[in-house]
Amino acid sequence: MATLNEDARNLLSRPVYAWVTTLRPDGSPHSTVVWVDVDGDEIIFNTAVGRAKERHLRKDPRVSIGVLDPEDAYHLVSVSGTARLEIDSADAVIDRLAKKYLGVDSYPFRRPDEQRITVRVEPRQIIHNTGR
């Protein structure tokens, strides 16, 4: 497992939007924008069961996450790794991300018919640039 340095960890801890790339069943990439955070040595994000990200990761756990500092286009972190899906505490995780990104205590877009799921990414490769 690769380890995030302090600057990479700090960038991922800021409310900066990330893009996540998963692999479709035909092997083609699928990228979406997500909220991320760091938990220990893992990068986490949250989605709903049944969405493309969750379906793709169940078939192939390889994933890539990138974050670009909006104040410095040369300050970035790109992590490739293996995803692990967790249902337990997923509602708490999306609430934590809503607090980070929106400043609210509870995720306001929750739908009664969806089940949240947390994706934990163990870094295998890290590309990091401290910027200018």
Side-chain angles (χ1 to χ4, degrees):
M1 178 163 85
T3 304
L4 296 166
N5 66 31
E6 184 178 351
D7 183 70
R9 185 178 296 278
N10 288 340
L11 182 56
L12 287 160
S13 296
R14 290 173 46 196
V16 176
Y17 295 98
W19 64 94
V20 168
T21 303
T22 59
L23 298 173
R24 293 182 178 106
D26 68 0
S28 63
H30 173 259
S31 297
T32 56
V33 174
V34 298
W35 297 342
V36 297
D37 209 349
V38 178
D39 188 16
D41 291 321
E42 298 176 319
I43 296 92
I44 60 171
F45 64 94
N46 193 282
T47 188
V49 171
R51 290 196 182 152
K53 291 181 291 295
E54 184 262 348
R55 291 192 324 268
H56 298 163
L57 291 170
R58 285 204 186 277
K59 292 182 189 287
D60 187 338
R62 293 177 295 169
V63 62
S64 176
I65 301 171
V67 175
L68 179 66
D69 187 339
E71 297 167 9
D72 181 352
Y74 296 97
H75 187 204
L76 61 93
V77 178
S78 177
V79 175
S80 296
T82 305
R84 188 174 78 252
L85 303 173
E86 291 183 349
I87 297 282
D88 292 343
S89 303
D91 286 324
V93 170
I94 194 62
D95 288 341
R96 175 176 135 193
L97 290 168
K99 182 71 166 179
K100 175 181 172 180
Y101 282 86
L102 302 176
V104 298
D105 292 329
S106 181
Y107 179 61
F109 310 113
R110 186 177 276 114
R111 293 190 317 215
D113 63 331
E114 72 181 7
Q115 181 177 23
R116 302 303 303 185
I117 190 164
T118 298
V119 180
R120 294 183 164 277
V121 178
E122 181 179 313
R124 298 284 184 207
Q125 180 180 10
I126 299 169
I127 298 170
H128 172 247
N129 191 335
T130 58
R132 297 183 210 215

PDB file of all heavy atoms in Angstrom, residues 55-86:
ATOM      1  N   ARG A  55     -21.961  -0.380  -8.878  1.00  0.00           N
ATOM      2  CA  ARG A  55     -22.056  -1.573  -9.737  1.00  0.00           C
ATOM      3  C   ARG A  55     -20.705  -1.923 -10.354  1.00  0.00           C
ATOM      4  O   ARG A  55     -20.291  -3.084 -10.368  1.00  0.00           O
ATOM      5  CB  ARG A  55     -23.096  -1.357 -10.845  1.00  0.00           C
ATOM      6  CG  ARG A  55     -24.525  -1.283 -10.365  1.00  0.00           C
ATOM      7  CD  ARG A  55     -25.530  -1.355 -11.529  1.00  0.00           C
ATOM      8  NE  ARG A  55     -25.117  -0.695 -12.752  1.00  0.00           N
ATOM      9  CZ  ARG A  55     -25.399   0.579 -13.076  1.00  0.00           C
ATOM     10  NH1 ARG A  55     -26.101   1.348 -12.244  1.00  0.00           N
ATOM     11  NH2 ARG A  55     -24.994   1.086 -14.228  1.00  0.00           N
ATOM     12  N   HIS A  56     -20.013  -0.906 -10.863  1.00  0.00           N
ATOM     13  CA  HIS A  56     -18.706  -1.147 -11.483  1.00  0.00           C
ATOM     14  C   HIS A  56     -17.710  -1.702 -10.471  1.00  0.00           C
ATOM     15  O   HIS A  56     -16.961  -2.640 -10.774  1.00  0.00           O
ATOM     16  CB  HIS A  56     -18.139   0.144 -12.082  1.00  0.00           C
ATOM     17  CG  HIS A  56     -18.975   0.718 -13.172  1.00  0.00           C
ATOM     18  ND1 HIS A  56     -18.820   2.022 -13.593  1.00  0.00           N
ATOM     19  CD2 HIS A  56     -19.978   0.210 -13.927  1.00  0.00           C
ATOM     20  CE1 HIS A  56     -19.679   2.271 -14.564  1.00  0.00           C
ATOM     21  NE2 HIS A  56     -20.396   1.180 -14.776  1.00  0.00           N
ATOM     22  N   LEU A  57     -17.689  -1.107  -9.266  1.00  0.00           N
ATOM     23  CA  LEU A  57     -16.709  -1.529  -8.257  1.00  0.00           C
ATOM     24  C   LEU A  57     -16.988  -2.925  -7.730  1.00  0.00           C
ATOM     25  O   LEU A  57     -16.070  -3.619  -7.299  1.00  0.00           O
ATOM     26  CB  LEU A  57     -16.645  -0.505  -7.123  1.00  0.00           C
ATOM     27  CG  LEU A  57     -16.040   0.836  -7.538  1.00  0.00           C
ATOM     28  CD1 LEU A  57     -16.235   1.869  -6.442  1.00  0.00           C
ATOM     29  CD2 LEU A  57     -14.563   0.676  -7.889  1.00  0.00           C
ATOM     30  N   ARG A  58     -18.225  -3.355  -7.752  1.00  0.00           N
ATOM     31  CA  ARG A  58     -18.531  -4.735  -7.337  1.00  0.00           C
ATOM     32  C   ARG A  58     -17.925  -5.741  -8.320  1.00  0.00           C
ATOM     33  O   ARG A  58     -17.509  -6.825  -7.924  1.00  0.00           O
ATOM     34  CB  ARG A  58     -20.033  -4.949  -7.242  1.00  0.00           C
ATOM     35  CG  ARG A  58     -20.634  -4.311  -6.010  1.00  0.00           C
ATOM     36  CD  ARG A  58     -21.929  -4.958  -5.598  1.00  0.00           C
ATOM     37  NE  ARG A  58     -22.520  -4.229  -4.502  1.00  0.00           N
ATOM     38  CZ  ARG A  58     -22.190  -4.396  -3.224  1.00  0.00           C
ATOM     39  NH1 ARG A  58     -21.263  -5.272  -2.894  1.00  0.00           N
ATOM     40  NH2 ARG A  58     -22.781  -3.693  -2.283  1.00  0.00           N
ATOM     41  N   LYS A  59     -17.872  -5.361  -9.593  1.00  0.00           N
ATOM     42  CA  LYS A  59     -17.325  -6.261 -10.617  1.00  0.00           C
ATOM     43  C   LYS A  59     -15.800  -6.139 -10.726  1.00  0.00           C
ATOM     44  O   LYS A  59     -15.119  -7.117 -11.019  1.00  0.00           O
ATOM     45  CB  LYS A  59     -17.959  -5.978 -11.971  1.00  0.00           C
ATOM     46  CG  LYS A  59     -19.434  -6.340 -12.038  1.00  0.00           C
ATOM     47  CD  LYS A  59     -19.992  -6.080 -13.413  1.00  0.00           C
ATOM     48  CE  LYS A  59     -21.476  -6.221 -13.481  1.00  0.00           C
ATOM     49  NZ  LYS A  59     -21.995  -7.528 -13.427  1.00  0.00           N
ATOM     50  N   ASP A  60     -15.289  -4.921 -10.523  1.00  0.00           N
ATOM     51  CA  ASP A  60     -13.854  -4.663 -10.652  1.00  0.00           C
ATOM     52  C   ASP A  60     -13.496  -3.565  -9.656  1.00  0.00           C
ATOM     53  O   ASP A  60     -13.868  -2.402  -9.853  1.00  0.00           O
ATOM     54  CB  ASP A  60     -13.529  -4.225 -12.079  1.00  0.00           C
ATOM     55  CG  ASP A  60     -12.041  -4.093 -12.338  1.00  0.00           C
ATOM     56  OD1 ASP A  60     -11.252  -3.916 -11.376  1.00  0.00           O
ATOM     57  OD2 ASP A  60     -11.645  -4.156 -13.515  1.00  0.00           O
ATOM     58  N   PRO A  61     -12.789  -3.879  -8.571  1.00  0.00           N
ATOM     59  CA  PRO A  61     -12.538  -2.897  -7.514  1.00  0.00           C
ATOM     60  C   PRO A  61     -11.443  -1.873  -7.821  1.00  0.00           C
ATOM     61  O   PRO A  61     -11.156  -1.014  -6.989  1.00  0.00           O
ATOM     62  CB  PRO A  61     -12.156  -3.769  -6.319  1.00  0.00           C
ATOM     63  CG  PRO A  61     -11.533  -4.977  -6.921  1.00  0.00           C
ATOM     64  CD  PRO A  61     -12.301  -5.212  -8.214  1.00  0.00           C
ATOM     65  N   ARG A  62     -10.872  -1.918  -9.004  1.00  0.00           N
ATOM     66  CA  ARG A  62      -9.855  -0.918  -9.342  1.00  0.00           C
ATOM     67  C   ARG A  62     -10.509   0.442  -9.542  1.00  0.00           C
ATOM     68  O   ARG A  62     -11.550   0.554 -10.183  1.00  0.00           O
ATOM     69  CB  ARG A  62      -9.086  -1.324 -10.590  1.00  0.00           C
ATOM     70  CG  ARG A  62      -8.223  -2.552 -10.380  1.00  0.00           C
ATOM     71  CD  ARG A  62      -7.536  -2.964 -11.639  1.00  0.00           C
ATOM     72  NE  ARG A  62      -8.520  -3.390 -12.644  1.00  0.00           N
ATOM     73  CZ  ARG A  62      -8.234  -3.610 -13.913  1.00  0.00           C
ATOM     74  NH1 ARG A  62      -7.011  -3.429 -14.376  1.00  0.00           N
ATOM     75  NH2 ARG A  62      -9.186  -4.000 -14.753  1.00  0.00           N
ATOM     76  N   VAL A  63      -9.867   1.472  -8.974  1.00  0.00           N
ATOM     77  CA  VAL A  63     -10.444   2.811  -8.992  1.00  0.00           C
ATOM     78  C   VAL A  63      -9.325   3.845  -8.981  1.00  0.00           C
ATOM     79  O   VAL A  63      -8.217   3.571  -8.506  1.00  0.00           O
ATOM     80  CB  VAL A  63     -11.396   3.004  -7.777  1.00  0.00           C
ATOM     81  CG1 VAL A  63     -10.649   2.886  -6.462  1.00  0.00           C
ATOM     82  CG2 VAL A  63     -12.169   4.293  -7.854  1.00  0.00           C
ATOM     83  N   SER A  64      -9.621   5.006  -9.502  1.00  0.00           N
ATOM     84  CA  SER A  64      -8.699   6.135  -9.485  1.00  0.00           C
ATOM     85  C   SER A  64      -9.457   7.351  -8.970  1.00  0.00           C
ATOM     86  O   SER A  64     -10.625   7.561  -9.316  1.00  0.00           O
ATOM     87  CB  SER A  64      -8.173   6.398 -10.897  1.00  0.00           C
ATOM     88  OG  SER A  64      -7.360   7.548 -10.918  1.00  0.00           O
ATOM     89  N   ILE A  65      -8.785   8.138  -8.126  1.00  0.00           N
ATOM     90  CA  ILE A  65      -9.367   9.358  -7.564  1.00  0.00           C
ATOM     91  C   ILE A  65      -8.383  10.495  -7.789  1.00  0.00           C
ATOM     92  O   ILE A  65      -7.194  10.350  -7.495  1.00  0.00           O
ATOM     93  CB  ILE A  65      -9.627   9.221  -6.050  1.00  0.00           C
ATOM     94  CG1 ILE A  65     -10.571   8.072  -5.771  1.00  0.00           C
ATOM     95  CG2 ILE A  65     -10.149  10.532  -5.462  1.00  0.00           C
ATOM     96  CD1 ILE A  65     -10.708   7.739  -4.308  1.00  0.00           C
ATOM     97  N   GLY A  66      -8.876  11.621  -8.296  1.00  0.00           N
ATOM     98  CA  GLY A  66      -8.026  12.783  -8.503  1.00  0.00           C
ATOM     99  C   GLY A  66      -8.631  14.022  -7.870  1.00  0.00           C
ATOM    100  O   GLY A  66      -9.849  14.191  -7.858  1.00  0.00           O
ATOM    101  N   VAL A  67      -7.754  14.855  -7.313  1.00  0.00           N
ATOM    102  CA  VAL A  67      -8.157  16.132  -6.729  1.00  0.00           C
ATOM    103  C   VAL A  67      -7.197  17.194  -7.239  1.00  0.00           C
ATOM    104  O   VAL A  67      -5.977  17.008  -7.209  1.00  0.00           O
ATOM    105  CB  VAL A  67      -8.110  16.096  -5.183  1.00  0.00           C
ATOM    106  CG1 VAL A  67      -8.422  17.458  -4.599  1.00  0.00           C
ATOM    107  CG2 VAL A  67      -9.069  15.064  -4.646  1.00  0.00           C
ATOM    108  N   LEU A  68      -7.762  18.304  -7.705  1.00  0.00           N
ATOM    109  CA  LEU A  68      -6.978  19.425  -8.217  1.00  0.00           C
ATOM    110  C   LEU A  68      -7.305  20.653  -7.385  1.00  0.00           C
ATOM    111  O   LEU A  68      -8.479  21.017  -7.249  1.00  0.00           O
ATOM    112  CB  LEU A  68      -7.333  19.675  -9.689  1.00  0.00           C
ATOM    113  CG  LEU A  68      -6.630  20.815 -10.392  1.00  0.00           C
ATOM    114  CD1 LEU A  68      -5.137  20.521 -10.528  1.00  0.00           C
ATOM    115  CD2 LEU A  68      -7.246  21.022 -11.773  1.00  0.00           C
ATOM    116  N   ASP A  69      -6.294  21.275  -6.819  1.00  0.00           N
ATOM    117  CA  ASP A  69      -6.469  22.473  -6.007  1.00  0.00           C
ATOM    118  C   ASP A  69      -7.019  23.603  -6.880  1.00  0.00           C
ATOM    119  O   ASP A  69      -6.386  23.979  -7.867  1.00  0.00           O
ATOM    120  CB  ASP A  69      -5.120  22.870  -5.403  1.00  0.00           C
ATOM    121  CG  ASP A  69      -5.194  24.005  -4.415  1.00  0.00           C
ATOM    122  OD1 ASP A  69      -6.179  24.785  -4.430  1.00  0.00           O
ATOM    123  OD2 ASP A  69      -4.252  24.134  -3.617  1.00  0.00           O
ATOM    124  N   PRO A  70      -8.189  24.159  -6.560  1.00  0.00           N
ATOM    125  CA  PRO A  70      -8.757  25.214  -7.400  1.00  0.00           C
ATOM    126  C   PRO A  70      -7.942  26.508  -7.370  1.00  0.00           C
ATOM    127  O   PRO A  70      -8.123  27.361  -8.231  1.00  0.00           O
ATOM    128  CB  PRO A  70     -10.161  25.433  -6.822  1.00  0.00           C
ATOM    129  CG  PRO A  70     -10.105  24.899  -5.442  1.00  0.00           C
ATOM    130  CD  PRO A  70      -9.066  23.823  -5.434  1.00  0.00           C
ATOM    131  N   GLU A  71      -7.028  26.632  -6.427  1.00  0.00           N
ATOM    132  CA  GLU A  71      -6.201  27.842  -6.326  1.00  0.00           C
ATOM    133  C   GLU A  71      -4.846  27.679  -7.006  1.00  0.00           C
ATOM    134  O   GLU A  71      -4.106  28.656  -7.155  1.00  0.00           O
ATOM    135  CB  GLU A  71      -6.012  28.201  -4.851  1.00  0.00           C
ATOM    136  CG  GLU A  71      -7.332  28.530  -4.170  1.00  0.00           C
ATOM    137  CD  GLU A  71      -7.211  28.585  -2.657  1.00  0.00           C
ATOM    138  OE1 GLU A  71      -6.082  28.543  -2.123  1.00  0.00           O
ATOM    139  OE2 GLU A  71      -8.268  28.669  -2.014  1.00  0.00           O
ATOM    140  N   ASP A  72      -4.480  26.447  -7.385  1.00  0.00           N
ATOM    141  CA  ASP A  72      -3.186  26.187  -8.015  1.00  0.00           C
ATOM    142  C   ASP A  72      -3.322  24.923  -8.868  1.00  0.00           C
ATOM    143  O   ASP A  72      -3.327  23.809  -8.341  1.00  0.00           O
ATOM    144  CB  ASP A  72      -2.113  26.006  -6.934  1.00  0.00           C
ATOM    145  CG  ASP A  72      -0.729  25.746  -7.499  1.00  0.00           C
ATOM    146  OD1 ASP A  72      -0.579  25.549  -8.724  1.00  0.00           O
ATOM    147  OD2 ASP A  72       0.228  25.705  -6.694  1.00  0.00           O
ATOM    148  N   ALA A  73      -3.408  25.100 -10.167  1.00  0.00           N
ATOM    149  CA  ALA A  73      -3.647  23.982 -11.085  1.00  0.00           C
ATOM    150  C   ALA A  73      -2.495  22.982 -11.134  1.00  0.00           C
ATOM    151  O   ALA A  73      -2.630  21.924 -11.740  1.00  0.00           O
ATOM    152  CB  ALA A  73      -3.924  24.513 -12.486  1.00  0.00           C
ATOM    153  N   TYR A  74      -1.378  23.279 -10.482  1.00  0.00           N
ATOM    154  CA  TYR A  74      -0.258  22.347 -10.431  1.00  0.00           C
ATOM    155  C   TYR A  74      -0.209  21.585  -9.103  1.00  0.00           C
ATOM    156  O   TYR A  74       0.639  20.731  -8.908  1.00  0.00           O
ATOM    157  CB  TYR A  74       1.058  23.087 -10.663  1.00  0.00           C
ATOM    158  CG  TYR A  74       1.117  23.680 -12.044  1.00  0.00           C
ATOM    159  CD1 TYR A  74       0.785  25.013 -12.253  1.00  0.00           C
ATOM    160  CD2 TYR A  74       1.474  22.904 -13.136  1.00  0.00           C
ATOM    161  CE1 TYR A  74       0.816  25.558 -13.526  1.00  0.00           C
ATOM    162  CE2 TYR A  74       1.513  23.439 -14.412  1.00  0.00           C
ATOM    163  CZ  TYR A  74       1.181  24.766 -14.603  1.00  0.00           C
ATOM    164  OH  TYR A  74       1.208  25.297 -15.860  1.00  0.00           O
ATOM    165  N   HIS A  75      -1.126  21.907  -8.207  1.00  0.00           N
ATOM    166  CA  HIS A  75      -1.210  21.234  -6.901  1.00  0.00           C
ATOM    167  C   HIS A  75      -2.284  20.158  -7.012  1.00  0.00           C
ATOM    168  O   HIS A  75      -3.468  20.470  -7.102  1.00  0.00           O
ATOM    169  CB  HIS A  75      -1.560  22.267  -5.814  1.00  0.00           C
ATOM    170  CG  HIS A  75      -1.512  21.730  -4.433  1.00  0.00           C
ATOM    171  ND1 HIS A  75      -2.219  22.298  -3.408  1.00  0.00           N
ATOM    172  CD2 HIS A  75      -0.837  20.692  -3.875  1.00  0.00           C
ATOM    173  CE1 HIS A  75      -1.988  21.652  -2.288  1.00  0.00           C
ATOM    174  NE2 HIS A  75      -1.155  20.665  -2.539  1.00  0.00           N
ATOM    175  N   LEU A  76      -1.868  18.913  -7.020  1.00  0.00           N
ATOM    176  CA  LEU A  76      -2.817  17.836  -7.269  1.00  0.00           C
ATOM    177  C   LEU A  76      -2.409  16.554  -6.565  1.00  0.00           C
ATOM    178  O   LEU A  76      -1.262  16.373  -6.184  1.00  0.00           O
ATOM    179  CB  LEU A  76      -2.949  17.575  -8.771  1.00  0.00           C
ATOM    180  CG  LEU A  76      -1.666  17.147  -9.497  1.00  0.00           C
ATOM    181  CD1 LEU A  76      -1.553  15.638  -9.564  1.00  0.00           C
ATOM    182  CD2 LEU A  76      -1.644  17.743 -10.883  1.00  0.00           C
ATOM    183  N   VAL A  77      -3.398  15.689  -6.425  1.00  0.00           N
ATOM    184  CA  VAL A  77      -3.190  14.332  -5.936  1.00  0.00           C
ATOM    185  C   VAL A  77      -4.012  13.408  -6.822  1.00  0.00           C
ATOM    186  O   VAL A  77      -5.189  13.665  -7.077  1.00  0.00           O
ATOM    187  CB  VAL A  77      -3.648  14.158  -4.472  1.00  0.00           C
ATOM    188  CG1 VAL A  77      -3.447  12.714  -4.022  1.00  0.00           C
ATOM    189  CG2 VAL A  77      -2.929  15.106  -3.549  1.00  0.00           C
ATOM    190  N   SER A  78      -3.391  12.343  -7.279  1.00  0.00           N
ATOM    191  CA  SER A  78      -4.087  11.303  -8.030  1.00  0.00           C
ATOM    192  C   SER A  78      -3.744   9.976  -7.372  1.00  0.00           C
ATOM    193  O   SER A  78      -2.565   9.644  -7.209  1.00  0.00           O
ATOM    194  CB  SER A  78      -3.648  11.316  -9.491  1.00  0.00           C
ATOM    195  OG  SER A  78      -4.279  10.269 -10.200  1.00  0.00           O
ATOM    196  N   VAL A  79      -4.758   9.244  -6.980  1.00  0.00           N
ATOM    197  CA  VAL A  79      -4.575   7.982  -6.278  1.00  0.00           C
ATOM    198  C   VAL A  79      -5.235   6.871  -7.076  1.00  0.00           C
ATOM    199  O   VAL A  79      -6.398   6.984  -7.458  1.00  0.00           O
ATOM    200  CB  VAL A  79      -5.203   8.038  -4.863  1.00  0.00           C
ATOM    201  CG1 VAL A  79      -5.113   6.685  -4.179  1.00  0.00           C
ATOM    202  CG2 VAL A  79      -4.540   9.126  -4.028  1.00  0.00           C
ATOM    203  N   SER A  80      -4.487   5.814  -7.328  1.00  0.00           N
ATOM    204  CA  SER A  80      -5.050   4.601  -7.914  1.00  0.00           C
ATOM    205  C   SER A  80      -4.978   3.516  -6.861  1.00  0.00           C
ATOM    206  O   SER A  80      -3.993   3.426  -6.119  1.00  0.00           O
ATOM    207  CB  SER A  80      -4.254   4.165  -9.139  1.00  0.00           C
ATOM    208  OG  SER A  80      -4.347   5.139 -10.147  1.00  0.00           O
ATOM    209  N   GLY A  81      -6.040   2.729  -6.782  1.00  0.00           N
ATOM    210  CA  GLY A  81      -6.036   1.701  -5.759  1.00  0.00           C
ATOM    211  C   GLY A  81      -7.174   0.734  -5.901  1.00  0.00           C
ATOM    212  O   GLY A  81      -7.792   0.612  -6.960  1.00  0.00           O
ATOM    213  N   THR A  82      -7.445   0.072  -4.801  1.00  0.00           N
ATOM    214  CA  THR A  82      -8.474  -0.950  -4.742  1.00  0.00           C
ATOM    215  C   THR A  82      -9.571  -0.499  -3.790  1.00  0.00           C
ATOM    216  O   THR A  82      -9.291  -0.059  -2.675  1.00  0.00           O
ATOM    217  CB  THR A  82      -7.867  -2.280  -4.248  1.00  0.00           C
ATOM    218  OG1 THR A  82      -6.780  -2.615  -5.103  1.00  0.00           O
ATOM    219  CG2 THR A  82      -8.893  -3.393  -4.276  1.00  0.00           C
ATOM    220  N   ALA A  83     -10.804  -0.635  -4.231  1.00  0.00           N
ATOM    221  CA  ALA A  83     -11.957  -0.191  -3.448  1.00  0.00           C
ATOM    222  C   ALA A  83     -12.513  -1.338  -2.616  1.00  0.00           C
ATOM    223  O   ALA A  83     -12.498  -2.502  -3.022  1.00  0.00           O
ATOM    224  CB  ALA A  83     -13.048   0.335  -4.372  1.00  0.00           C
ATOM    225  N   ARG A  84     -13.036  -0.950  -1.460  1.00  0.00           N
ATOM    226  CA  ARG A  84     -13.777  -1.848  -0.585  1.00  0.00           C
ATOM    227  C   ARG A  84     -15.098  -1.158  -0.271  1.00  0.00           C
ATOM    228  O   ARG A  84     -15.104   0.016   0.102  1.00  0.00           O
ATOM    229  CB  ARG A  84     -12.967  -2.120   0.684  1.00  0.00           C
ATOM    230  CG  ARG A  84     -13.553  -3.173   1.578  1.00  0.00           C
ATOM    231  CD  ARG A  84     -12.634  -3.494   2.756  1.00  0.00           C
ATOM    232  NE  ARG A  84     -12.724  -2.479   3.793  1.00  0.00           N
ATOM    233  CZ  ARG A  84     -11.799  -1.577   4.082  1.00  0.00           C
ATOM    234  NH1 ARG A  84     -10.673  -1.535   3.385  1.00  0.00           N
ATOM    235  NH2 ARG A  84     -11.967  -0.709   5.055  1.00  0.00           N
ATOM    236  N   LEU A  85     -16.208  -1.839  -0.424  1.00  0.00           N
ATOM    237  CA  LEU A  85     -17.532  -1.252  -0.207  1.00  0.00           C
ATOM    238  C   LEU A  85     -18.040  -1.607   1.181  1.00  0.00           C
ATOM    239  O   LEU A  85     -17.911  -2.754   1.615  1.00  0.00           O
ATOM    240  CB  LEU A  85     -18.504  -1.770  -1.268  1.00  0.00           C
ATOM    241  CG  LEU A  85     -18.094  -1.523  -2.719  1.00  0.00           C
ATOM    242  CD1 LEU A  85     -19.038  -2.230  -3.664  1.00  0.00           C
ATOM    243  CD2 LEU A  85     -18.042  -0.052  -3.014  1.00  0.00           C
ATOM    244  N   GLU A  86     -18.624  -0.598   1.868  1.00  0.00           N
ATOM    245  CA  GLU A  86     -19.148  -0.804   3.220  1.00  0.00           C
ATOM    246  C   GLU A  86     -20.512  -0.159   3.371  1.00  0.00           C
ATOM    247  O   GLU A  86     -20.670   1.033   3.109  1.00  0.00           O
ATOM    248  CB  GLU A  86     -18.224  -0.175   4.261  1.00  0.00           C
ATOM    249  CG  GLU A  86     -16.895  -0.837   4.430  1.00  0.00           C
ATOM    250  CD  GLU A  86     -16.074  -0.192   5.537  1.00  0.00           C
ATOM    251  OE1 GLU A  86     -16.444   0.897   6.034  1.00  0.00           O
ATOM    252  OE2 GLU A  86     -15.048  -0.781   5.902  1.00  0.00           O
TER     253      GLU A  86
END
